[in-house]
Amino acid sequence: MRLNVDLQLRDIPGELINALEPLSEVDANIAGVVHHHDWVKGDRIGVNITFDICNQKQLDLLLAKWKQCGVEVVRMGSVFKTYDVEYVLVGPVSPTILENLLDEVKTMTSLASVDIKYTASQDFQRRAAYVSGTVLEESDLDVIDEFFHRRTDEIGLLLIRGGVGR
Amino acid sequence: MTDIVIAGFGTVGQGFAEVLAHTSPGLREQFGPLRLVGAFDSRSYAYDTNGLDPVALLESKAAGRVGKRDIPGTSRELLDEMDYDILVEVTPTDIGDGGSGMGHILSALGAGRHVITCNKGPLSLRFQELEGLATRRGAMLRFEGSVGGAMPIIHVAKDIMAGEDITSIKGILNGTCNFILHRMGNEGLPFQQALREAQQLGYAEADPTYDIEGVDSACKVAILSNAIFGRDVTVHDVMRVGISSVTDEAIALAREQGQVLRLIGEVGQSRLEVAPRLVPIGHPLAIGGTLNIAQIDAKFSGPITVAGRGAGRMETASAILSDLMTILRAQ
């Protein structure tokens, strides 16, 4: 899981290393560290850290280590990693068809956001729709691909997937 | 002395004859003389154990025939009678049963002779059987030119990246489709007009079905899957969607989102497909024109991209020459 925390550290040399060492001790992977010199509270300054940690047990161990070395955790929240999905559907595609398809997708995956754009051709066969969105689970990428592949085939639409750079 | 027979004397066969006529002195010094002893097309043949002049053969072909003699019986029976070291098999691709090329390759490998081929039919239908036969007979089967012409993807993936854990290969494996999609995207041309332009420029056949419906790319995907991933699949196992249903509106809509459409062949852990895909502008696979390009993704190296001219007389002959060098070095 990916977490984002605000810490208060004593404003003395070596204190940042003191806060980061426990992260490596619990095999956490640091994604970002930002100093907030304007978050001054008494003799303490603010630091924001984003990191990946494998489970709750390791997180509890980390919190205990921080407490032991005097690092104060003032806020902790989850950061959700998302995965992009995008498709172009070609042929007689209508808003109703797409909404129905996406309703089905929402019931079976972690689809978190979606955006749709249409062309406005009078010729149904030339019409196209661009669907982009995000899912929270990587495994859902294949589920959505398979679903769109099957359903567009049934409806008679050409499906063009993204994900080449994935 | 290495004796060579060319089966199929069309564009590629003639290109290779030209290469043989102009091999460098350094090459002859290193490996000894390369001697063309036989060549045939679907009608006639020339055969001389003392060697044939490649230039004279090209002139003869330009006048209508490879050789003076008609092929008696089948070309496989003819080949069975010939004495040579290496067969260069470049007859046209037939994905029904492999066509005459299948018989030629079986004949050569069965007799323990090395084979170099660009013929996608046999390789995309009975790859493992042919590889197995080559191994049993102590012969080599090389086929660099069968995927991507001068683009050295098989050599890079099999030999240079040996030991790597290759996870996927994605690429543009058909220059005709890429030209059409590129023209549709850049000039806003409808599909039919871009196709006609490709035909006028000689990039597309009069019957373009094989290219635009993705059959050619699917053959190459099957070959890559067999050769690089060690699978046993045929062209018919590849999920295939062509580009004939791609509309100018779809391409314009994709472009608004910073994407182009490309016909991508993909071999992955769970994927074996050819289909039009969205590719971000600026990505290596967003390449235009008639080039072929492939991205090999591997565990340690990350993505490695190779590109080159996917077809053409001398481009494919260059791939055959590269295979020939591999065989000669191994001897």
Side-chain angles (χ1 to χ4, degrees):
Chain A
M1 57 185 155
R2 175 162 284 199
L3 295 170
N4 180 267
V5 293
D6 287 335
L7 306 178
Q8 291 283 356
L9 311 180
R10 282 171 295 183
D11 193 9
I12 54 173
E15 195 64 4
L16 180 60
I17 291 172
N18 204 26
L20 296 181
E21 269 178 353
L23 283 161
S24 67
E25 286 166 14
V26 298
D27 290 330
N29 180 40
I30 299 169
V33 178
V34 180
H35 267 286
H36 288 283
H37 293 289
D38 51 336
W39 294 357
V40 180
K41 189 179 167 187
D43 65 340
R44 290 176 173 256
I45 59 162
V47 173
N48 178 274
I49 304 176
T50 304
F51 60 94
D52 296 309
I53 193 162
C54 56
N55 56 40
Q56 187 64 42
K57 194 177 162 192
Q58 293 296 90
L59 178 61
D60 291 342
L61 186 59
L62 173 67
L63 294 174
K65 284 175 180 279
W66 270 340
K67 192 174 179 182
Q68 202 173 13
C69 61
V71 173
E72 189 185 342
V73 180
V74 293
R75 187 195 64 81
M76 184 165 67
S78 298
V79 178
F80 291 107
K81 188 170 180 183
T82 58
Y83 302 89
D84 295 335
V85 291
E86 59 180 349
Y87 303 94
V88 169
L89 281 66
V90 189
V93 59
S94 68
T96 311
I97 288 174
L98 252 185
E99 278 164 26
N100 288 340
L101 288 175
L102 289 168
D103 282 346
E104 284 186 68
V105 170
K106 281 174 193 165
T107 64
M108 55 201 280
T109 68
S110 59
L111 188 67
S113 68
V114 69
D115 186 34
I116 307 170
K117 292 183 173 65
Y118 296 95
T119 61
S121 174
Q122 297 299 312
D123 180 349
F124 284 116
Q125 292 305 325
R126 288 175 59 207
R127 197 174 274 183
Y130 173 79
V131 182
S132 63
T134 56
V135 292
L136 303 180
E137 302 289 336
E138 191 175 11
S139 58
D140 283 342
L141 295 171
D142 283 343
V143 175
I144 298 183
D145 274 358
E146 196 280 325
F147 170 80
F148 266 116
H149 187 266
R150 179 168 47 82
R151 296 289 283 120
T152 54
D153 199 39
E154 288 166 5
I155 299 168
L157 300 172
L158 170 66
L159 176 70
I160 299 172
R161 290 189 294 117
V164 164
R166 210 183 269 161
Chain B
M1 183 76 73
T2 303
D3 289 344
I4 297 168
V5 166
I6 301 176
F9 213 67
T11 305
V12 176
Q14 290 175 60
F16 184 64
E18 205 171 312
V19 165
L20 280 182
H22 297 99
T23 50
S24 68
L27 200 105
R28 287 193 293 272
E29 227 168 74
Q30 194 179 352
F31 300 112
L34 300 173
R35 188 166 61 177
L36 181 61
V37 295
F40 59 88
D41 60 11
S42 57
R43 292 193 305 141
S44 64
Y45 76 99
Y47 178 62
D48 187 339
T49 51
N50 294 315
L52 298 163
D53 176 6
V55 176
L57 277 184
L58 289 166
E59 287 169 0
S60 172
K61 175 70 179 178
R65 295 173 64 87
V66 181
K68 288 177 184 154
R69 289 170 283 187
D70 287 339
I71 293 181
T74 67
S75 53
R76 178 175 176 166
E77 287 164 353
L78 171 71
L79 191 62
D80 285 339
E81 298 300 315
M82 291 180 169
D83 191 19
Y84 58 96
D85 302 302
I86 298 174
L87 173 69
V88 174
E89 213 298 323
V90 286
T91 57
T93 293
D94 177 341
I95 61 158
D97 61 0
S100 58
M102 182 73 84
H104 300 157
I105 295 174
L106 287 169
S107 163
L109 293 178
R113 305 183 204 278
H114 306 300
V115 173
I116 300 168
T117 186
C118 307
N119 191 331
K120 295 180 282 291
L123 297 172
S124 63
L125 291 171
R126 291 162 63 179
F127 184 91
Q128 296 303 348
E129 179 191 337
L130 298 175
E131 279 263 292
L133 179 60
T135 305
R136 286 196 302 279
R137 302 292 179 177
M140 291 178 77
L141 173 63
R142 303 290 301 188
F143 42 87
E144 184 64 66
S146 65
V147 180
M151 174 179 75
I153 182 167
I154 292 167
H155 182 51
V156 169
K158 268 193 91 164
D159 303 330
I160 295 173
M161 294 177 73
E164 259 284 13
D165 183 3
I166 294 176
T167 52
S168 73
I169 299 176
K170 293 176 193 157
I172 294 168
L173 305 173
N174 184 278
T176 307
C177 288
N178 209 49
F179 175 83
I180 292 169
L181 292 173
H182 176 63
R183 292 293 290 163
M184 287 176 77
N186 268 32
E187 306 299 328
L189 300 180
F191 173 79
Q192 284 301 336
Q193 196 173 334
L195 171 60
R196 272 198 297 277
E197 197 176 289
Q199 286 170 322
Q200 282 166 12
L201 290 167
Y203 298 143
E205 303 284 342
D207 176 3
T209 312
Y210 194 71
D211 288 325
I212 65 172
E213 294 308 335
V215 181
D216 176 65
S217 296
C219 285
K220 294 166 181 171
V221 162
I223 294 168
L224 289 175
S225 179
N226 291 328
I228 313 299
F229 292 80
R231 296 181 191 152
D232 188 7
V233 300
T234 76
V235 59
H236 306 299
D237 296 316
V238 180
M239 199 196 86
R240 174 174 58 83
V241 179
I243 63 166
S244 56
S245 302
V246 172
T247 64
D248 45 350
E249 284 195 28
I251 285 185
L253 187 60
R255 184 163 279 273
E256 282 172 25
Q257 314 308 318
Q259 316 253 13
V260 293
L261 297 193
R262 294 290 180 259
L263 185 71
I264 302 292
E266 180 174 354
V267 188
Q269 304 296 347
S270 58
R271 233 180 250 289
L272 199 62
E273 74 165 22
V274 172
R277 300 278 295 272
L278 293 163
V279 182
I281 292 170
H283 188 279
L285 300 190
I287 198 168
T290 57
L291 283 177
N292 279 204
I293 186 165
Q295 196 162 62
I296 307 165
D297 222 329
K299 190 175 172 184
F300 303 122
S301 66
I304 287 176
T305 306
V306 287
R309 291 183 187 160
R313 175 183 168 110
M314 298 316 288
E315 290 83 352
T316 311
S318 157
I320 295 171
L321 182 64
S322 145
D323 280 339
L324 179 61
M325 292 304 102
T326 303
I327 291 172
L328 294 174
R329 279 194 200 105
Q331 282 181 339

